[in-house]
Amino acid sequence: LITEAGSYRLYEAPTTGYTGLVGIAERRSAATQGSLFQQNRAWARTTGPADAAYIRWDYPAERDGPSPVAPRRPCPDGRRAAEEQFAPGRIRAVVRCSEAATLLFKTSYHPNWVVTVDGTAAEPYMASPSYLAVDLPAGEHVVVAEYRSHPLKVPLLLVGAIAALGIAGGPAIWRRARKRS
């Protein structure tokens, strides 16, 4: 228990961090969001999450089904990053593993995530249940994941703000114009 305020209580809970070194048990394709949800739901009811045995997803795909992939076990040196830094839209981790490993970022996958390993672009993918993941070679690596919003985000925000101001101020401007005429 950290603090109490009236009938509310705030607790601290142990965490394993923003990232984890996990295994990839299989690779599957999902054609629809509903199919992805149902397959992830079934996975969540197995020992996969506890065993750090995740599914690599190809989504959206043309059809549902398995895809060939060599299973990868969790890092034998441990499942945690040596160091982590978290900021809005950015996660940095220093990772050490004596074998090739998969680093799972505990954030929702989106195609706008850009991942670098030791400053070189890497190919991120979706791992169950819709987390961001990247494969790493053996050794120590600095891995950075950055979310880069679409270039139209700021211009669309400005257009929306101007439109909202116009809608909010429009009736007053209309009344003034009618009084003048």
Side-chain angles (χ1 to χ4, degrees):
L1 179 67
I2 295 174
T3 189
E4 292 183 56
S7 61
Y8 298 99
R9 293 182 177 91
L10 179 63
Y11 291 93
E12 180 178 13
T15 178
T16 57
Y18 296 107
T19 64
L21 291 162
V22 301
I24 297 295
E26 60 185 299
R27 184 172 182 172
R28 292 187 198 167
S29 298
T32 66
Q33 187 175 10
S35 173
L36 178 67
F37 174 79
Q38 291 300 328
Q39 291 184 70
N40 269 325
R41 186 175 180 193
W43 167 81
R45 292 179 175 164
T46 69
T47 61
D51 296 339
Y54 290 77
I55 300 168
R56 178 178 177 158
W57 288 104
D58 296 322
Y59 172 78
E62 289 184 24
R63 59 180 174 73
D64 291 353
S67 300
V69 68
R72 180 176 278 183
R73 64 188 185 109
C75 180
D77 306 330
R79 294 184 184 173
R80 296 188 69 174
E83 176 188 327
E84 291 180 333
Q85 295 173 347
F86 179 81
R90 187 175 195 272
I91 303 172
R92 180 185 180 273
V94 177
V95 181
R96 294 181 193 104
C97 189
S98 59
E99 297 179 3
T102 298
L103 181 65
L104 183 85
F105 293 90
K106 297 174 188 172
T107 189
S108 296
Y109 172 84
H110 190 277
N112 287 5
W113 280 101
V114 176
V115 178
T116 59
V117 178
D118 301 324
T120 303
E123 186 179 336
Y125 57 87
M126 183 191 300
S128 50
S130 302
Y131 283 143
L132 177 67
V134 67
D135 292 331
L136 305 173
E140 180 174 310
H141 305 284
V142 176
V143 184
V144 177
E146 292 182 301
Y147 183 81
R148 299 198 181 145
S149 61
H150 195 279
L152 288 177
K153 182 178 181 180
V154 173
L156 288 174
L157 180 65
L158 292 174
V159 167
I162 291 168
L165 288 172
I167 291 170
I173 293 169
W174 178 257
R175 280 191 295 261
R176 281 190 216 135
R178 290 186 74 189
K179 283 181 183 179
R180 287 183 188 148
S181 62

